[in-house]
Amino acid sequence: MDYLPLFFKLNDRTALLVGGGQVALRKASLLTRAGARVIVVAHRVDPELVALIEQHNGQVIVGEYHSGLLADAYLVIAATDDNELNEQVHFDAVERNIPVNVVDNQPLCTFIFPAIVDRSPIVIGISSGGESPVLARLLRAKLETWIPQGYSRLGRLVGEFRQQVKQTFSHVERRRIFWEKILQGQVAEKVFAGRDKEARALLESALEKADPDHQVGEVYLVGGGPGDPELLTFKALRLMQQADVVLYDQLVSPAIVDLCRRDADRIFVGKRRDNHAVPQDGINELLVKHALQGQRVLRLKGGDPFIFGRGGEELETLKQHNIPFQVVPGITAASACSTYAGIPLTHRNYAQSVRLVTGQLKNRTSDLNFEELVHPNQTIVFYMGLHTLPTLFEQLIAHGKPAETPAAIISNGTRADQRVLTGTLSSLPELQEQAKLPAPALIIVGEVVQLHENLAWFGEEVLHNHGLILPDANPD
Ligand code: SAH
């Protein structure tokens, strides 16, 4: 982050604006909207600017800028087309530790203006750190269409009730839960529909009925998908943004953890193979402990919580303690990795069914029913099978699966560093021996793997397949 976004209180403060043209007018209009007393100094001042300044009790000085004008200034903006003058203003301000903005000259700015979405009291500032103002503006345009004007009235309504709610709920967490219910429920809907009176009545009655001592929280067991944050569900994202505590695994990508509420406590509970930062019992206990404290606990898992995720066990513990919970499915690795690798799991010509199988063998091959797995016309997907790959493939061949059956490893599926390695049951273990694709990795076995060559669309691999990255020229 190159700049820290802050919101400046300018009410009744003096802002010095050097320049009197259209650009200065735009800045003056922002400053006056924030209640600033604006002093404009320029040789020529646009009449519209004069009118605006007068209307807001500012001052227009027609004449030469001099550093004495900075005496009372809380901040200063240079909006002239005279580079020397802009530089002078910059140096004078910096010398006096006054924040300065020189329009369209980022190196001379100690603060910059964001693109603004104004739903006062809700205000959104968007900045590209000066790298691409156009991008920031495009994003603003998107937000403008997304965020109804009603947010402004909703913000004011909340402001009116703030003190009262504070008195009812002395505990900050309870207060937040109350507001989240209000702001995501009927009250907000009424405001957006323009029925402010009904919204106010609803809010009053919710406050009357509120039980500030109610203590049990809730657990959200949420599937975070395979890694690409865009594969989250809306529901997952909503719960991620309202939880007080987040317990997450190794498999959940940092980009996804980042989308959780900023001030939520984040607890890493690990779980890589053979490396459980917190054992399963410990995780169950943590869930119960936080929920009984009245917190909303997000249990965030990679992929889908009910597919090799031990989600069921965690819920059984919650059930024993009468803790309410919700479960949100996620896109499981089999589905995500196969799509991102261009390998349809079923296909009219090749596979009529799919098997999702754990590759973890607890050192005994008899854990899996290989007789069933070798049936033709079905795709086998191995989770957690990277370290047992040679044994799995040996057993498939020993039970009659042809050695030339196509197979693939998809490592870091859906992430920027996704890699796909293809071969056959006989060749893939050795190819992996050399390639050493890292975990997490999913293994797909079946005729459908052939389709990868044609259908691959995601990641670096695709460029290789289509010859877009030229192999290193080797003179030998
Ligand atoms: N609940 C998860 C699976 C947990 S088991 C789900 O539904 O996806 C962990 C295994 O999932 C890993 O060993 C690996 O086989 C697979 N896996 C999870 N995410 C993956 C990813 N992004 N790329 C490849 N494999 C992944």
Side-chain angles (χ1 to χ4, degrees), residues 225-227 251 301-309 330-334 337 382-385 410-415 440-443:
L251 264 186
K301 296 206 169 242
D304 182 279
F306 279 3
I307 294 185
F308 303 124
I331 296 190
T332 189
C337 296
F382 288 108
Y383 286 69
M384 299 170 279
I410 301 149
S411 159
N412 282 315
T414 79
R415 305 178 188 193
L442 195 80
I443 298 158

PDB file of all heavy atoms in Angstrom, residues 225-227 251 301-309 330-334 337 382-385 410-415 440-443, ligand 1:
ATOM      1  N   GLY A 225     -13.556 -23.504  -1.456  1.00  0.00           N
ATOM      2  CA  GLY A 225     -13.155 -23.824  -2.827  1.00  0.00           C
ATOM      3  C   GLY A 225     -11.666 -24.119  -2.902  1.00  0.00           C
ATOM      4  O   GLY A 225     -10.970 -24.170  -1.891  1.00  0.00           O
ATOM      5  N   PRO A 226     -11.177 -24.310  -4.121  1.00  0.00           N
ATOM      6  CA  PRO A 226      -9.834 -24.834  -4.326  1.00  0.00           C
ATOM      7  C   PRO A 226      -8.726 -23.780  -4.282  1.00  0.00           C
ATOM      8  O   PRO A 226      -7.562 -24.135  -4.233  1.00  0.00           O
ATOM      9  CB  PRO A 226      -9.931 -25.418  -5.732  1.00  0.00           C
ATOM     10  CG  PRO A 226     -10.951 -24.558  -6.403  1.00  0.00           C
ATOM     11  CD  PRO A 226     -11.939 -24.182  -5.360  1.00  0.00           C
ATOM     12  N   GLY A 227      -9.036 -22.510  -4.355  1.00  0.00           N
ATOM     13  CA  GLY A 227      -7.944 -21.527  -4.310  1.00  0.00           C
ATOM     14  C   GLY A 227      -8.298 -20.220  -5.006  1.00  0.00           C
ATOM     15  O   GLY A 227      -8.075 -19.150  -4.467  1.00  0.00           O
ATOM     16  N   LEU A 251      -5.076 -25.609   3.467  1.00  0.00           N
ATOM     17  CA  LEU A 251      -5.549 -25.648   2.073  1.00  0.00           C
ATOM     18  C   LEU A 251      -6.215 -24.354   1.616  1.00  0.00           C
ATOM     19  O   LEU A 251      -6.399 -24.135   0.432  1.00  0.00           O
ATOM     20  CB  LEU A 251      -6.571 -26.779   1.923  1.00  0.00           C
ATOM     21  CG  LEU A 251      -6.109 -28.138   1.421  1.00  0.00           C
ATOM     22  CD1 LEU A 251      -7.303 -29.042   1.217  1.00  0.00           C
ATOM     23  CD2 LEU A 251      -5.295 -28.034   0.139  1.00  0.00           C
ATOM     24  N   LYS A 301     -12.842 -24.080   5.180  1.00  0.00           N
ATOM     25  CA  LYS A 301     -12.118 -25.269   4.705  1.00  0.00           C
ATOM     26  C   LYS A 301     -11.837 -25.158   3.220  1.00  0.00           C
ATOM     27  O   LYS A 301     -12.595 -24.530   2.484  1.00  0.00           O
ATOM     28  CB  LYS A 301     -12.998 -26.506   4.901  1.00  0.00           C
ATOM     29  CG  LYS A 301     -13.274 -26.782   6.338  1.00  0.00           C
ATOM     30  CD  LYS A 301     -13.541 -28.260   6.497  1.00  0.00           C
ATOM     31  CE  LYS A 301     -13.548 -28.620   7.940  1.00  0.00           C
ATOM     32  NZ  LYS A 301     -12.501 -29.555   8.267  1.00  0.00           N
ATOM     33  N   GLY A 302     -10.784 -25.831   2.794  1.00  0.00           N
ATOM     34  CA  GLY A 302     -10.505 -25.893   1.363  1.00  0.00           C
ATOM     35  C   GLY A 302     -11.563 -26.742   0.678  1.00  0.00           C
ATOM     36  O   GLY A 302     -12.096 -27.689   1.273  1.00  0.00           O
ATOM     37  N   GLY A 303     -11.902 -26.393  -0.553  1.00  0.00           N
ATOM     38  CA  GLY A 303     -12.843 -27.204  -1.331  1.00  0.00           C
ATOM     39  C   GLY A 303     -14.214 -27.244  -0.694  1.00  0.00           C
ATOM     40  O   GLY A 303     -14.770 -26.220  -0.314  1.00  0.00           O
ATOM     41  N   ASP A 304     -14.760 -28.433  -0.570  1.00  0.00           N
ATOM     42  CA  ASP A 304     -16.077 -28.621   0.026  1.00  0.00           C
ATOM     43  C   ASP A 304     -15.901 -29.263   1.405  1.00  0.00           C
ATOM     44  O   ASP A 304     -15.109 -30.201   1.547  1.00  0.00           O
ATOM     45  CB  ASP A 304     -16.900 -29.540  -0.885  1.00  0.00           C
ATOM     46  CG  ASP A 304     -18.305 -29.735  -0.345  1.00  0.00           C
ATOM     47  OD1 ASP A 304     -18.492 -30.575   0.558  1.00  0.00           O
ATOM     48  OD2 ASP A 304     -19.203 -29.025  -0.817  1.00  0.00           O
ATOM     49  N   PRO A 305     -16.630 -28.768   2.398  1.00  0.00           N
ATOM     50  CA  PRO A 305     -16.393 -29.289   3.749  1.00  0.00           C
ATOM     51  C   PRO A 305     -16.819 -30.747   3.926  1.00  0.00           C
ATOM     52  O   PRO A 305     -16.354 -31.409   4.845  1.00  0.00           O
ATOM     53  CB  PRO A 305     -17.222 -28.373   4.651  1.00  0.00           C
ATOM     54  CG  PRO A 305     -18.103 -27.586   3.768  1.00  0.00           C
ATOM     55  CD  PRO A 305     -17.583 -27.665   2.370  1.00  0.00           C
ATOM     56  N   PHE A 306     -17.699 -31.229   3.058  1.00  0.00           N
ATOM     57  CA  PHE A 306     -18.199 -32.603   3.218  1.00  0.00           C
ATOM     58  C   PHE A 306     -17.492 -33.597   2.310  1.00  0.00           C
ATOM     59  O   PHE A 306     -17.900 -34.749   2.198  1.00  0.00           O
ATOM     60  CB  PHE A 306     -19.712 -32.647   2.948  1.00  0.00           C
ATOM     61  CG  PHE A 306     -20.549 -32.198   4.131  1.00  0.00           C
ATOM     62  CD1 PHE A 306     -19.953 -31.730   5.302  1.00  0.00           C
ATOM     63  CD2 PHE A 306     -21.936 -32.262   4.079  1.00  0.00           C
ATOM     64  CE1 PHE A 306     -20.712 -31.320   6.387  1.00  0.00           C
ATOM     65  CE2 PHE A 306     -22.707 -31.857   5.161  1.00  0.00           C
ATOM     66  CZ  PHE A 306     -22.098 -31.382   6.323  1.00  0.00           C
ATOM     67  N   ILE A 307     -16.464 -33.129   1.593  1.00  0.00           N
ATOM     68  CA  ILE A 307     -15.715 -34.088   0.775  1.00  0.00           C
ATOM     69  C   ILE A 307     -14.291 -34.146   1.303  1.00  0.00           C
ATOM     70  O   ILE A 307     -13.531 -33.177   1.185  1.00  0.00           O
ATOM     71  CB  ILE A 307     -15.774 -33.711  -0.718  1.00  0.00           C
ATOM     72  CG1 ILE A 307     -17.217 -33.856  -1.173  1.00  0.00           C
ATOM     73  CG2 ILE A 307     -14.833 -34.606  -1.536  1.00  0.00           C
ATOM     74  CD1 ILE A 307     -17.466 -33.641  -2.619  1.00  0.00           C
ATOM     75  N   PHE A 308     -13.950 -35.247   1.938  1.00  0.00           N
ATOM     76  CA  PHE A 308     -12.657 -35.422   2.592  1.00  0.00           C
ATOM     77  C   PHE A 308     -12.300 -34.210   3.436  1.00  0.00           C
ATOM     78  O   PHE A 308     -11.157 -33.764   3.444  1.00  0.00           O
ATOM     79  CB  PHE A 308     -11.563 -35.718   1.558  1.00  0.00           C
ATOM     80  CG  PHE A 308     -11.858 -36.927   0.715  1.00  0.00           C
ATOM     81  CD1 PHE A 308     -11.888 -36.856  -0.670  1.00  0.00           C
ATOM     82  CD2 PHE A 308     -12.156 -38.136   1.328  1.00  0.00           C
ATOM     83  CE1 PHE A 308     -12.181 -37.970  -1.443  1.00  0.00           C
ATOM     84  CE2 PHE A 308     -12.444 -39.259   0.567  1.00  0.00           C
ATOM     85  CZ  PHE A 308     -12.471 -39.169  -0.821  1.00  0.00           C
ATOM     86  N   GLY A 309     -13.290 -33.656   4.105  1.00  0.00           N
ATOM     87  CA  GLY A 309     -13.046 -32.440   4.878  1.00  0.00           C
ATOM     88  C   GLY A 309     -13.302 -32.606   6.364  1.00  0.00           C
ATOM     89  O   GLY A 309     -13.103 -31.670   7.122  1.00  0.00           O
ATOM     90  N   GLY A 330     -18.691 -25.917  -0.967  1.00  0.00           N
ATOM     91  CA  GLY A 330     -17.678 -25.233  -1.768  1.00  0.00           C
ATOM     92  C   GLY A 330     -17.405 -26.070  -3.001  1.00  0.00           C
ATOM     93  O   GLY A 330     -17.830 -27.220  -3.090  1.00  0.00           O
ATOM     94  N   ILE A 331     -16.694 -25.480  -3.930  1.00  0.00           N
ATOM     95  CA  ILE A 331     -16.354 -26.269  -5.127  1.00  0.00           C
ATOM     96  C   ILE A 331     -15.223 -27.204  -4.749  1.00  0.00           C
ATOM     97  O   ILE A 331     -14.161 -26.767  -4.306  1.00  0.00           O
ATOM     98  CB  ILE A 331     -15.943 -25.351  -6.284  1.00  0.00           C
ATOM     99  CG1 ILE A 331     -17.144 -24.482  -6.666  1.00  0.00           C
ATOM    100  CG2 ILE A 331     -15.459 -26.178  -7.473  1.00  0.00           C
ATOM    101  CD1 ILE A 331     -16.970 -23.696  -7.924  1.00  0.00           C
ATOM    102  N   THR A 332     -15.450 -28.467  -4.887  1.00  0.00           N
ATOM    103  CA  THR A 332     -14.454 -29.450  -4.463  1.00  0.00           C
ATOM    104  C   THR A 332     -13.336 -29.570  -5.503  1.00  0.00           C
ATOM    105  O   THR A 332     -13.524 -29.249  -6.682  1.00  0.00           O
ATOM    106  CB  THR A 332     -15.140 -30.807  -4.210  1.00  0.00           C
ATOM    107  OG1 THR A 332     -14.192 -31.669  -3.599  1.00  0.00           O
ATOM    108  CG2 THR A 332     -15.655 -31.436  -5.496  1.00  0.00           C
ATOM    109  N   ALA A 333     -12.172 -30.029  -5.029  1.00  0.00           N
ATOM    110  CA  ALA A 333     -10.994 -30.078  -5.902  1.00  0.00           C
ATOM    111  C   ALA A 333     -11.265 -30.878  -7.180  1.00  0.00           C
ATOM    112  O   ALA A 333     -10.825 -30.490  -8.262  1.00  0.00           O
ATOM    113  CB  ALA A 333      -9.817 -30.678  -5.145  1.00  0.00           C
ATOM    114  N   ALA A 334     -12.017 -31.968  -7.083  1.00  0.00           N
ATOM    115  CA  ALA A 334     -12.249 -32.796  -8.274  1.00  0.00           C
ATOM    116  C   ALA A 334     -12.914 -31.968  -9.361  1.00  0.00           C
ATOM    117  O   ALA A 334     -12.514 -31.992 -10.526  1.00  0.00           O
ATOM    118  CB  ALA A 334     -13.125 -33.987  -7.915  1.00  0.00           C
ATOM    119  N   CYS A 337     -10.372 -28.679 -10.217  1.00  0.00           N
ATOM    120  CA  CYS A 337      -9.107 -28.973 -10.899  1.00  0.00           C
ATOM    121  C   CYS A 337      -9.368 -29.553 -12.285  1.00  0.00           C
ATOM    122  O   CYS A 337      -8.656 -29.258 -13.239  1.00  0.00           O
ATOM    123  CB  CYS A 337      -8.274 -29.954 -10.088  1.00  0.00           C
ATOM    124  SG  CYS A 337      -7.772 -29.283  -8.510  1.00  0.00           S
ATOM    125  N   PHE A 382      -8.275 -39.231  -7.400  1.00  0.00           N
ATOM    126  CA  PHE A 382      -7.634 -39.474  -6.100  1.00  0.00           C
ATOM    127  C   PHE A 382      -7.331 -38.153  -5.414  1.00  0.00           C
ATOM    128  O   PHE A 382      -6.619 -37.310  -5.965  1.00  0.00           O
ATOM    129  CB  PHE A 382      -6.319 -40.245  -6.259  1.00  0.00           C
ATOM    130  CG  PHE A 382      -6.498 -41.685  -6.639  1.00  0.00           C
ATOM    131  CD1 PHE A 382      -6.181 -42.123  -7.921  1.00  0.00           C
ATOM    132  CD2 PHE A 382      -6.973 -42.614  -5.706  1.00  0.00           C
ATOM    133  CE1 PHE A 382      -6.331 -43.457  -8.273  1.00  0.00           C
ATOM    134  CE2 PHE A 382      -7.126 -43.957  -6.057  1.00  0.00           C
ATOM    135  CZ  PHE A 382      -6.813 -44.378  -7.345  1.00  0.00           C
ATOM    136  N   TYR A 383      -7.867 -37.979  -4.222  1.00  0.00           N
ATOM    137  CA  TYR A 383      -7.473 -36.884  -3.350  1.00  0.00           C
ATOM    138  C   TYR A 383      -6.335 -37.403  -2.469  1.00  0.00           C
ATOM    139  O   TYR A 383      -6.306 -38.587  -2.132  1.00  0.00           O
ATOM    140  CB  TYR A 383      -8.632 -36.470  -2.418  1.00  0.00           C
ATOM    141  CG  TYR A 383      -9.756 -35.706  -3.071  1.00  0.00           C
ATOM    142  CD1 TYR A 383     -10.605 -36.303  -3.983  1.00  0.00           C
ATOM    143  CD2 TYR A 383      -9.994 -34.381  -2.720  1.00  0.00           C
ATOM    144  CE1 TYR A 383     -11.659 -35.604  -4.550  1.00  0.00           C
ATOM    145  CE2 TYR A 383     -11.053 -33.668  -3.280  1.00  0.00           C
ATOM    146  CZ  TYR A 383     -11.877 -34.288  -4.197  1.00  0.00           C
ATOM    147  OH  TYR A 383     -12.913 -33.585  -4.745  1.00  0.00           O
ATOM    148  N   MET A 384      -5.481 -36.524  -2.033  1.00  0.00           N
ATOM    149  CA  MET A 384      -4.411 -36.871  -1.076  1.00  0.00           C
ATOM    150  C   MET A 384      -3.603 -38.064  -1.552  1.00  0.00           C
ATOM    151  O   MET A 384      -3.205 -38.899  -0.755  1.00  0.00           O
ATOM    152  CB  MET A 384      -5.019 -37.187   0.315  1.00  0.00           C
ATOM    153  CG  MET A 384      -5.758 -36.028   0.916  1.00  0.00           C
ATOM    154  SD  MET A 384      -6.692 -36.496   2.373  1.00  0.00           S
ATOM    155  CE  MET A 384      -8.159 -37.203   1.655  1.00  0.00           C
ATOM    156  N   GLY A 385      -3.341 -38.137  -2.841  1.00  0.00           N
ATOM    157  CA  GLY A 385      -2.710 -39.343  -3.351  1.00  0.00           C
ATOM    158  C   GLY A 385      -1.300 -39.122  -3.873  1.00  0.00           C
ATOM    159  O   GLY A 385      -0.690 -40.045  -4.414  1.00  0.00           O
ATOM    160  N   ILE A 410      -2.776 -32.769 -11.179  1.00  0.00           N
ATOM    161  CA  ILE A 410      -3.022 -31.321 -11.230  1.00  0.00           C
ATOM    162  C   ILE A 410      -2.576 -30.753  -9.892  1.00  0.00           C
ATOM    163  O   ILE A 410      -3.134 -31.077  -8.845  1.00  0.00           O
ATOM    164  CB  ILE A 410      -4.498 -31.011 -11.471  1.00  0.00           C
ATOM    165  CG1 ILE A 410      -4.926 -31.643 -12.799  1.00  0.00           C
ATOM    166  CG2 ILE A 410      -4.746 -29.504 -11.512  1.00  0.00           C
ATOM    167  CD1 ILE A 410      -6.356 -32.048 -12.816  1.00  0.00           C
ATOM    168  N   SER A 411      -1.557 -29.933  -9.964  1.00  0.00           N
ATOM    169  CA  SER A 411      -0.982 -29.391  -8.732  1.00  0.00           C
ATOM    170  C   SER A 411      -1.402 -27.930  -8.602  1.00  0.00           C
ATOM    171  O   SER A 411      -1.439 -27.194  -9.591  1.00  0.00           O
ATOM    172  CB  SER A 411       0.542 -29.524  -8.833  1.00  0.00           C
ATOM    173  OG  SER A 411       1.181 -28.643  -7.970  1.00  0.00           O
ATOM    174  N   ASN A 412      -1.742 -27.510  -7.391  1.00  0.00           N
ATOM    175  CA  ASN A 412      -2.190 -26.134  -7.144  1.00  0.00           C
ATOM    176  C   ASN A 412      -3.302 -25.714  -8.100  1.00  0.00           C
ATOM    177  O   ASN A 412      -3.269 -24.614  -8.669  1.00  0.00           O
ATOM    178  CB  ASN A 412      -1.020 -25.151  -7.251  1.00  0.00           C
ATOM    179  CG  ASN A 412      -0.175 -25.174  -6.005  1.00  0.00           C
ATOM    180  OD1 ASN A 412      -0.705 -25.168  -4.885  1.00  0.00           O
ATOM    181  ND2 ASN A 412       1.129 -25.235  -6.170  1.00  0.00           N
ATOM    182  N   GLY A 413      -4.253 -26.587  -8.277  1.00  0.00           N
ATOM    183  CA  GLY A 413      -5.340 -26.341  -9.223  1.00  0.00           C
ATOM    184  C   GLY A 413      -6.051 -25.018  -8.977  1.00  0.00           C
ATOM    185  O   GLY A 413      -6.262 -24.634  -7.836  1.00  0.00           O
ATOM    186  N   THR A 414      -6.379 -24.325 -10.033  1.00  0.00           N
ATOM    187  CA  THR A 414      -7.103 -23.035 -10.090  1.00  0.00           C
ATOM    188  C   THR A 414      -6.278 -21.856  -9.589  1.00  0.00           C
ATOM    189  O   THR A 414      -6.743 -20.729  -9.588  1.00  0.00           O
ATOM    190  CB  THR A 414      -8.444 -23.023  -9.309  1.00  0.00           C
ATOM    191  OG1 THR A 414      -8.182 -22.857  -7.904  1.00  0.00           O
ATOM    192  CG2 THR A 414      -9.268 -24.264  -9.542  1.00  0.00           C
ATOM    193  N   ARG A 415      -5.068 -22.120  -9.123  1.00  0.00           N
ATOM    194  CA  ARG A 415      -4.245 -21.007  -8.635  1.00  0.00           C
ATOM    195  C   ARG A 415      -3.299 -20.550  -9.743  1.00  0.00           C
ATOM    196  O   ARG A 415      -3.085 -21.272 -10.722  1.00  0.00           O
ATOM    197  CB  ARG A 415      -3.441 -21.429  -7.413  1.00  0.00           C
ATOM    198  CG  ARG A 415      -4.366 -21.991  -6.341  1.00  0.00           C
ATOM    199  CD  ARG A 415      -3.629 -22.463  -5.135  1.00  0.00           C
ATOM    200  NE  ARG A 415      -4.594 -23.145  -4.267  1.00  0.00           N
ATOM    201  CZ  ARG A 415      -4.372 -23.469  -3.015  1.00  0.00           C
ATOM    202  NH1 ARG A 415      -3.229 -23.171  -2.457  1.00  0.00           N
ATOM    203  NH2 ARG A 415      -5.296 -24.080  -2.308  1.00  0.00           N
ATOM    204  N   PRO A 440      -0.880 -28.907  -2.836  1.00  0.00           N
ATOM    205  CA  PRO A 440      -1.900 -29.928  -2.993  1.00  0.00           C
ATOM    206  C   PRO A 440      -2.011 -30.357  -4.452  1.00  0.00           C
ATOM    207  O   PRO A 440      -1.902 -29.543  -5.361  1.00  0.00           O
ATOM    208  CB  PRO A 440      -3.182 -29.219  -2.545  1.00  0.00           C
ATOM    209  CG  PRO A 440      -2.950 -27.780  -2.873  1.00  0.00           C
ATOM    210  CD  PRO A 440      -1.476 -27.558  -2.669  1.00  0.00           C
ATOM    211  N   ALA A 441      -2.213 -31.647  -4.628  1.00  0.00           N
ATOM    212  CA  ALA A 441      -2.320 -32.150  -5.994  1.00  0.00           C
ATOM    213  C   ALA A 441      -3.397 -33.216  -6.074  1.00  0.00           C
ATOM    214  O   ALA A 441      -3.611 -33.977  -5.135  1.00  0.00           O
ATOM    215  CB  ALA A 441      -0.985 -32.713  -6.445  1.00  0.00           C
ATOM    216  N   LEU A 442      -4.061 -33.216  -7.200  1.00  0.00           N
ATOM    217  CA  LEU A 442      -5.158 -34.141  -7.423  1.00  0.00           C
ATOM    218  C   LEU A 442      -4.762 -35.055  -8.581  1.00  0.00           C
ATOM    219  O   LEU A 442      -4.100 -34.609  -9.516  1.00  0.00           O
ATOM    220  CB  LEU A 442      -6.389 -33.316  -7.810  1.00  0.00           C
ATOM    221  CG  LEU A 442      -7.711 -34.032  -7.751  1.00  0.00           C
ATOM    222  CD1 LEU A 442      -8.187 -34.072  -6.304  1.00  0.00           C
ATOM    223  CD2 LEU A 442      -8.740 -33.301  -8.594  1.00  0.00           C
ATOM    224  N   ILE A 443      -5.170 -36.299  -8.503  1.00  0.00           N
ATOM    225  CA  ILE A 443      -4.801 -37.235  -9.568  1.00  0.00           C
ATOM    226  C   ILE A 443      -6.068 -37.705 -10.269  1.00  0.00           C
ATOM    227  O   ILE A 443      -7.049 -38.078  -9.606  1.00  0.00           O
ATOM    228  CB  ILE A 443      -4.057 -38.442  -8.964  1.00  0.00           C
ATOM    229  CG1 ILE A 443      -2.769 -37.944  -8.298  1.00  0.00           C
ATOM    230  CG2 ILE A 443      -3.736 -39.480 -10.032  1.00  0.00           C
ATOM    231  CD1 ILE A 443      -2.247 -38.879  -7.252  1.00  0.00           C
TER     232      ILE A 443
HETATM  233  N1  SAH B   1     -12.359 -30.750   1.124  1.00  0.00           N
HETATM  234  C1  SAH B   1     -11.382 -30.644   0.058  1.00  0.00           C
HETATM  235  C2  SAH B   1     -10.441 -31.828   0.043  1.00  0.00           C
HETATM  236  C3  SAH B   1      -9.573 -31.936   1.241  1.00  0.00           C
HETATM  237  S1  SAH B   1      -8.450 -33.292   1.130  1.00  0.00           S
HETATM  238  C4  SAH B   1     -12.126 -30.521  -1.269  1.00  0.00           C
HETATM  239  O1  SAH B   1     -13.333 -30.717  -1.327  1.00  0.00           O
HETATM  240  O2  SAH B   1     -11.468 -30.210  -2.256  1.00  0.00           O
HETATM  241  C5  SAH B   1      -7.021 -32.513   0.492  1.00  0.00           C
HETATM  242  C6  SAH B   1      -6.766 -32.924  -0.942  1.00  0.00           C
HETATM  243  O3  SAH B   1      -7.595 -32.191  -1.823  1.00  0.00           O
HETATM  244  C7  SAH B   1      -5.375 -32.640  -1.408  1.00  0.00           C
HETATM  245  O4  SAH B   1      -4.468 -33.664  -1.011  1.00  0.00           O
HETATM  246  C8  SAH B   1      -5.553 -32.629  -2.903  1.00  0.00           C
HETATM  247  O5  SAH B   1      -5.623 -33.939  -3.407  1.00  0.00           O
HETATM  248  C9  SAH B   1      -6.921 -32.017  -3.053  1.00  0.00           C
HETATM  249  N2  SAH B   1      -6.873 -30.571  -3.346  1.00  0.00           N
HETATM  250  C10 SAH B   1      -7.453 -29.600  -2.648  1.00  0.00           C
HETATM  251  N3  SAH B   1      -7.236 -28.390  -3.221  1.00  0.00           N
HETATM  252  C11 SAH B   1      -6.507 -28.625  -4.314  1.00  0.00           C
HETATM  253  C12 SAH B   1      -5.970 -27.785  -5.342  1.00  0.00           C
HETATM  254  N4  SAH B   1      -6.142 -26.458  -5.336  1.00  0.00           N
HETATM  255  N5  SAH B   1      -5.251 -28.369  -6.326  1.00  0.00           N
HETATM  256  C13 SAH B   1      -5.068 -29.686  -6.351  1.00  0.00           C
HETATM  257  N6  SAH B   1      -5.551 -30.529  -5.417  1.00  0.00           N
HETATM  258  C14 SAH B   1      -6.271 -30.007  -4.412  1.00  0.00           C
END
